[in-house]
Amino acid sequence: MLEVKDLVVAYGRVNAVKGITFEVGKGQVVTLLGTNGAGKSTTLRSISGLLKPVSGEIWFEGERLDGLPAHKIVERGIAQSPEGRRLFRQMSVEDNLKLGAFSRKDTSGVKADMDRVYDLFPVLGERRTEAAGLFSGGEQQMLAIGRAMMCRPKLLMLDEPSMGLSPIMTQTIMRTIKELQADGVTILLVEQNAQAALSLADKGYVLEVGHIVFSDSGRNLLGDDRVRRTYLGAD
Amino acid sequence: MDLLDLFLQQLINGLSLGSLYALIAVGYTVVYGIVQLINFAHGEIFMIGAFGAYATWMLMGQPTDWNAPMSILVLLPVLIIGGVAASVTVALLTERYAYRPLRNAPRLAPLISAIGVSVFLQEAVRLFYGEIPGFPTAKSAIPFPSIPGISGSAFQFGGVTVQMTAVFTVGALAVCTVFLWFFVNRTKTGRAMIATSQDPDTARLMGINVDKVIMAAFAVGAALAAIAGVAHGLRYSNIDFRMGFLAGLKAFTAAVLGGIGNINGAVVGGLVLGVVEAMATTFIPGQFGSAAWKDVWAFVLLILVLVFRPQGLLGAKVVDRA
Ligand SMILES: Nc1ncnc2c1ncn2[C@@H]1O[C@H](COP(=O)(O)OP(=O)(O)OP(=O)(O)O)[C@@H](O)[C@H]1O
Ligand SMILES: [Mg+2]
């Protein structure tokens, strides 16, 4: 469904992503692991069209994406919940969700999807008219995910959805990801919490300073010594 | 004339002048709120609006014999449309060719480009003087057509006179403010504008075409500036290629006064500035209260606000709910 080939992305003259190749199959949950600064967010931002790659190719459902402006990529069915949530803090929950559906014209479908987000995260429904900035970190994360779902993406990219969340909240988020997968949404997940991510990922890629150093199924990576040492804190 | 009458008279004069500033100030603030650019050429966009209306009047064969209702219902709207079309076109062209290529350049680059555009537009208009048949050769001021029905005094109470042009200017600001509120809060493009001013990258992730939003910001600002240009022409009965300089500077002051990036702030800032100027010329004694000093007081006010309330009267930064 999504194919990234030899992707190189730079900030100024410094390459942050140095030629990575990976694939996300339809209906899968795929995770990108890596230490701070490995290039995970940079990768997602280039898939979304916020960054222009220096070289390499990004293909989605047989169509080449790199070079398209970000709003066209959203129209193709790719949504991103960015690192640090990036909500429109002064706007209400409802307005944030409406902006998530900006590219859509089917008003009734938008309404239905909004109700679905409220079903998934009842606290958002109860306080839908309050400004997003007034919510707790975990609640804001729910809103960020909900907002990304509002464009009915085929591919949903989540950049560290569990950042700063309690274990119980992290579990809720991970359960939501599973539910979305069951609904047929393909997911590309960037996580610091490798344990949680690998437990539900079909496949994982490990990035180090802009390179993919290895990849395997989620289950195998959970048992992999290198992963256990670096990302799961085991000796 | 007693003191109260004098005060009320100056209040009305100030509000009318302030409405002019406010209409121009919105353009500075909206563009700044979205691209953090101080569009120094915006004063010239206001000037182009006045000239656009004037050119339209010439194309119509310089009609002078229309009756008042026809003038107000047909002639004036047509002139306004002509001015708005000219301003919006020029504003979009400058955005496309002078600012957009510099969007990722250091902040200073677009600012210098804006100053260049400002000089370019002034000179371009000046060079038309005497070149086009019917365009006066006068190097200073061109008489702006007076619209029957929008001249003389509208009404009078006690010793206070309200001019028709004042009614028009304040009315134009009121209508534009309502329109702007509706646009920002109730249309999709308006919502996209708020989102873009708060976080452009995230706005793009929502599927918002940020280029379009920026164009909308320039267009809205230019349209209001053009209306101000017509109001200016009617109020002072003449226009010239330099008129954008001081008016632009004052309107920029108004935008900063109200809180740059804040639409309500631009309106309030414009009105406050207009009233302060009008009051200063009347109630400050001696030569300091002379008309020559009014610009000094305007900028003194700006400095005071910048020192004691740098975020402006209503607070700065984002294009807030208008
Ligand atoms: N806006 C930027 N300008 C310059 N360099 C940047 C910028 N954003 C990221 N970088 C650099 O690019 C590299 C990759 O950053 P990126 O944000 O993709 O890492 P990451 O894997 O998402 O890390 P983290 O886990 O900390 O979020 C880092 O070395 C970082 O310093
Ligand atoms: Mg990151």
Side-chain angles (χ1 to χ4, degrees), chain A residues 9-12 14-17 33-45 51 83 159-160 163 190-192 207 209-210:
Chain A
V9 193
Y11 294 101
V14 186
N15 285 358
V17 168
L33 298 179
T35 46
N36 295 120
K40 306 178 297 289
S41 301
T42 305
T43 305
L44 296 196
R45 291 164 60 80
L51 296 171
E83 186 172 355
D159 197 342
E160 306 203 12
M163 188 167 52
V190 165
E191 257 305 334
Q192 293 289 349
L207 256 87
V209 285

Side-chain angles (χ1 to χ4, degrees), chain B:
Chain B
M1 199 185 239
D2 64 25
L3 209 59
L4 180 65
D5 277 354
L6 189 63
F7 175 82
L8 288 175
Q9 183 68 61
Q10 287 309 90
L11 185 65
I12 284 161
N13 293 348
L15 287 176
S16 148
L17 179 64
S19 298
L20 209 61
Y21 293 155
L23 283 168
I24 310 173
V26 167
Y28 282 104
T29 242
V30 171
V31 165
Y32 183 87
I34 289 179
V35 284
Q36 279 76 53
L37 164 73
I38 291 167
N39 180 11
F40 262 109
H42 187 59
E44 274 58 55
I45 298 296
F46 153 78
M47 178 269 290
I48 297 278
F51 275 83
Y54 179 74
T56 308
W57 179 71
M58 286 211 313
L59 286 174
M60 293 171 74
Q62 315 194 3
T64 47
D65 50 353
W66 294 40
N67 60 23
M70 278 298 280
S71 298
I72 293 176
L73 293 176
V74 180
L75 184 57
L76 183 61
V78 169
L79 294 195
I80 289 175
I81 289 169
V84 167
S87 283
V88 170
T89 307
V90 173
L92 290 180
L93 286 173
T94 59
E95 188 278 321
R96 178 66 189 83
Y97 294 106
Y99 304 143
R100 198 183 298 180
L102 299 173
R103 203 167 298 154
N104 298 315
R107 290 278 285 278
L108 199 55
L111 197 65
I112 291 170
S113 187
I115 293 170
V117 169
S118 162
V119 174
F120 171 86
L121 291 175
Q122 280 193 35
E123 288 303 298
V125 170
R126 185 180 69 86
L127 292 172
F128 273 123
Y129 281 36
E131 291 295 321
I132 292 181
F135 227 86
T137 51
K139 287 281 182 249
S140 52
I142 292 177
F144 195 80
S146 85
I147 306 279
I150 313 234
S151 54
S153 71
F155 46 87
Q156 199 145 11
F157 50 95
V160 181
T161 312
V162 180
Q163 298 293 327
M164 263 328 278
T165 54
V167 174
F168 172 71
T169 313
V170 176
L173 176 68
V175 171
C176 287
T177 307
V178 170
F179 165 81
L180 209 56
W181 182 90
F182 181 83
F183 173 72
V184 170
N185 292 290
R186 289 284 179 272
T187 68
K188 231 176 153 179
T189 310
R191 307 300 298 159
M193 253 163 89
I194 298 183
T196 306
S197 76
Q198 291 182 3
D199 186 342
D201 268 359
T202 307
R204 291 164 76 196
L205 287 181
M206 303 295 106
I208 292 169
N209 182 347
V210 169
D211 282 344
K212 261 202 198 157
V213 168
I214 293 172
M215 286 167 66
F218 273 87
V220 166
L224 297 206
I227 292 169
V230 173
H232 177 103
L234 293 173
R235 181 186 167 98
Y236 297 105
S237 306
N238 61 56
I239 58 179
D240 80 284
F241 69 93
R242 290 187 225 85
M243 66 192 262
F245 177 72
L246 192 59
L249 212 52
K250 290 282 182 60
F252 171 65
T253 303
V256 173
L257 205 60
I260 187 109
N262 181 323
I263 295 178
N264 294 330
V267 173
V268 171
L271 293 176
V272 168
L273 188 66
V275 170
V276 165
E277 268 188 32
M279 294 297 172
T281 54
T282 310
F283 294 104
I284 293 178
Q287 73 154 26
F288 299 118
S290 68
W293 275 76
K294 75 179 200 305
D295 297 340
V296 174
W297 296 122
F299 294 114
V300 164
L301 176 66
L302 173 67
I303 293 167
L304 287 178
V305 168
L306 285 179
V307 170
F308 293 106
R309 201 174 154 76
Q311 74 275 36
L313 299 175
L314 300 199
K317 281 289 172 272
V318 292
V319 176
D320 251 328
R321 286 158 184 268

Side-chain angles (χ1 to χ4, degrees), chain A residues 13-132:
Chain A
R13 291 221 182 110
V14 186
N15 285 358
V17 168
K18 303 166 180 170
I20 63 171
T21 298
F22 68 95
E23 223 179 297
V24 180
K26 198 168 174 54
Q28 287 185 326
V29 174
V30 172
T31 182
L32 293 180
L33 298 179
T35 46
N36 295 120
K40 306 178 297 289
S41 301
T42 305
T43 305
L44 296 196
R45 291 164 60 80
S46 7
I47 296 169
S48 285
L50 294 181
L51 296 171
K52 287 238 176 319
V54 176
S55 62
E57 298 175 8
I58 300 167
W59 291 80
F60 182 69
E61 296 191 312
E63 187 188 4
R64 192 157 170 186
L65 289 189
D66 50 291
L68 287 183
H71 66 274
K72 296 271 187 211
I73 291 174
V74 175
E75 283 171 16
R76 300 293 186 278
I78 300 183
Q80 184 189 155
S81 161
E83 186 172 355
R85 305 186 285 266
R86 304 285 284 265
L87 296 174
F88 299 104
R89 299 173 57 87
Q90 290 108 309
M91 294 190 200
S92 68
V93 167
E94 199 162 288
D95 284 348
N96 269 278
L97 293 178
K98 275 187 193 154
L99 278 168
F102 191 83
S103 55
R104 291 173 57 178
K105 304 212 160 48
D106 55 323
T107 328
S108 58
V110 169
K111 188 80 197 54
D113 285 358
M114 206 178 276
D115 289 338
R116 179 159 151 249
V117 172
Y118 293 150
D119 275 348
L120 215 50
F121 305 119
V123 58
L124 298 181
E126 286 154 22
R127 297 166 59 190
R128 63 186 74 181
T129 57
E130 284 179 42

